[in-house]
Amino acid sequence: MSVTTTKQLTRAFGLDEIALVPSSLTLDPELVDPSTNIANIQLDVPIFASAMDSVVNPKTAGLIGKLGGAGILNLEGVQTRYENPEDVLNQISSVTKSEYVTLMQDIYQKEPIKDHLIKQRIKEIKDQGVQPVVSSTPQKASRLGPLAAENGAEAFLVQSTVVSTRFKSAHHEKNLNLEEFCSEMTIPVMVGNSTTTDVTLSLMRTGVKGVFIGIGPGAACTTRGVLAIGVPMATAILNAVEARNIHLEETGIYVPIIADGGIVNSGDVCKSLACGADAVMIGSPLAKAIEAPGNGYHWGMATPNAVLPRGSRIEVGTIGSLK
């Protein structure tokens, strides 16, 4: 008796499974311009620093901005909960592995997000002559987005592990409608994360100015192990490129793609751009910098989640300056 199945597996590729084939033309580096503009943020180097407490604080956002990239400040992290976040960051980097999750849940749930600290942190970035870019989860976007815009942020990222055009929650009176949110915001809105053509296309149709691509490949992320969700990065980027091309043909509007996750070295940056990404977002390589707030450690923002703690704190060490 034969059995017919409707489920099929499709081969997908990670960045470590592909390489760039040399062309017949060699260019002098002076002829290559890697700069781009995404959501009105000028990037001389096509790199966003991850919106993680171990990577971006106001100081590193300023330094990264001056070096040509952009650091994204997480508005739900320790910078907006604590007057002196350095004390908290020192605690995170000093506890044992067995104490870590409990401490993280306590740190991120004990103190609420404070409006005056949002204003202060954005000002600290702006005072360095850098365009402030900030982020929140969909659950908090309706409140934090307008607040950030009012206080000088120049772009806003709505970011979660997996995002869709509509977000529903039993704990919020007003569920996030991304199209309405984009139209009501006075600053450009970016969104993440996605990996498929259809979802990426639906996100682009809401009016966002950039889509972050990637689920689960980051060094501090355990989403693939915990939730079994993810698409290898090279394929995910190509899926997004297909969506971008369809949207461009339909509307004449080009929506940039940012590869986010699993960018380990400069070769991964090159491969991401060659696949079609306009920029990349990186975390763990920057967490190794002397100036990084994680003190030689790097962790995902889903670790303190009260419902499903995931992610890990990894010791990345300190190898040099951000420059």
Side-chain angles (χ1 to χ4, degrees):
M1 177 179 170
S2 61
V3 178
T4 302
T5 178
T6 58
K7 297 184 181 296
Q8 296 181 344
L9 296 176
T10 302
R11 182 71 169 92
F13 294 89
L15 293 175
D16 59 345
E17 296 177 279
I18 64 171
L20 305 184
V21 177
S23 73
S24 58
L25 175 65
T26 301
L27 289 178
D28 188 292
E30 293 180 357
L31 299 176
V32 180
D33 179 10
S35 67
T36 186
N37 189 292
I38 298 175
N40 289 342
I41 302 298
Q42 179 61 34
L43 298 171
D44 294 331
V45 179
I47 292 175
F48 285 97
S50 296
M52 295 177 169
D53 280 342
S54 55
V55 179
V56 177
N57 61 8
K59 177 184 176 182
T60 58
L63 290 169
I64 292 164
K66 290 175 181 177
L67 291 169
I72 302 180
L73 184 71
N74 174 27
L75 294 185
E76 297 181 48
V78 298
Q79 298 294 327
T80 60
R81 295 176 188 269
Y82 294 90
E83 298 283 350
N84 298 304
E86 291 76 16
D87 295 340
V88 176
L89 292 165
N90 288 335
Q91 289 183 55
I92 294 173
S93 61
S94 62
V95 297
T96 65
K97 188 175 182 180
S98 61
E99 300 170 311
Y100 167 67
V101 173
T102 302
L103 174 67
M104 291 289 280
Q105 289 180 318
D106 181 60
I107 284 173
Y108 285 91
Q109 295 168 25
K110 181 172 65 175
E111 290 291 334
I113 299 164
K114 300 177 178 66
D115 290 3
H116 77 277
L117 287 179
I118 290 177
K119 180 179 180 179
Q120 180 178 327
R121 303 308 181 210
I122 292 174
K123 183 178 184 299
E124 288 172 6
I125 297 172
K126 201 155 193 146
D127 285 350
Q128 299 175 75
V130 170
Q131 296 174 283
V133 185
V134 297
S135 75
S136 86
T137 59
Q139 295 94 322
K140 299 285 197 305
S142 294
R143 184 176 83 82
L144 298 183
L147 181 63
E150 290 168 10
N151 286 287
E154 297 191 30
F156 189 84
L157 169 61
V158 180
Q159 189 171 39
S160 59
T161 301
V162 183
V163 75
S164 57
T165 52
R166 293 179 62 86
F167 177 82
K168 296 182 68 175
S169 170
H171 305 290
H172 296 81
E173 293 182 7
K174 184 179 179 181
N175 296 319
L176 181 67
N177 180 301
L178 193 56
E179 186 172 1
E180 292 178 1
F181 181 75
C182 289
S183 66
E184 292 170 358
M185 284 286 285
T186 57
I187 58 176
V189 175
M190 301 178 287
V191 66
N193 280 28
S194 171
T195 57
T196 62
T197 299
D198 56 344
V199 172
T200 304
L201 181 58
S202 68
L203 292 171
M204 290 179 173
R205 287 170 173 163
T206 66
V208 296
K209 304 303 181 184
V211 181
F212 285 70
I213 302 299
I215 297 172
C221 184
T222 59
T223 295
R224 290 188 184 177
V226 176
L227 299 178
I229 297 172
V231 174
M233 278 300 291
T235 296
I237 296 169
L238 291 171
N239 289 342
V241 168
E242 182 180 2
R244 185 180 62 198
N245 292 343
I246 293 171
H247 186 261
L248 180 62
E249 186 175 344
E250 288 179 348
T251 66
I253 298 172
Y254 184 94
V255 180
I257 293 166
I258 303 94
D260 174 21
I263 312 293
V264 178
N265 51 46
S266 58
D268 292 332
V269 176
C270 297
K271 287 185 276 189
S272 296
L273 298 177
C275 285
D278 298 274
V280 301
M281 175 181 265
I282 57 179
S284 58
L286 298 182
K288 299 176 182 180
I290 295 168
E291 303 92 338
N295 300 313
Y297 286 87
H298 181 50
W299 57 89
M301 296 312 298
T303 305
N305 188 287
V307 178
L308 183 61
R310 59 192 188 279
S312 60
R313 180 193 63 174
I314 58 172
E315 185 172 4
V316 295
T318 302
I319 62 172
S321 69
L322 270 173
K323 183 177 181 180

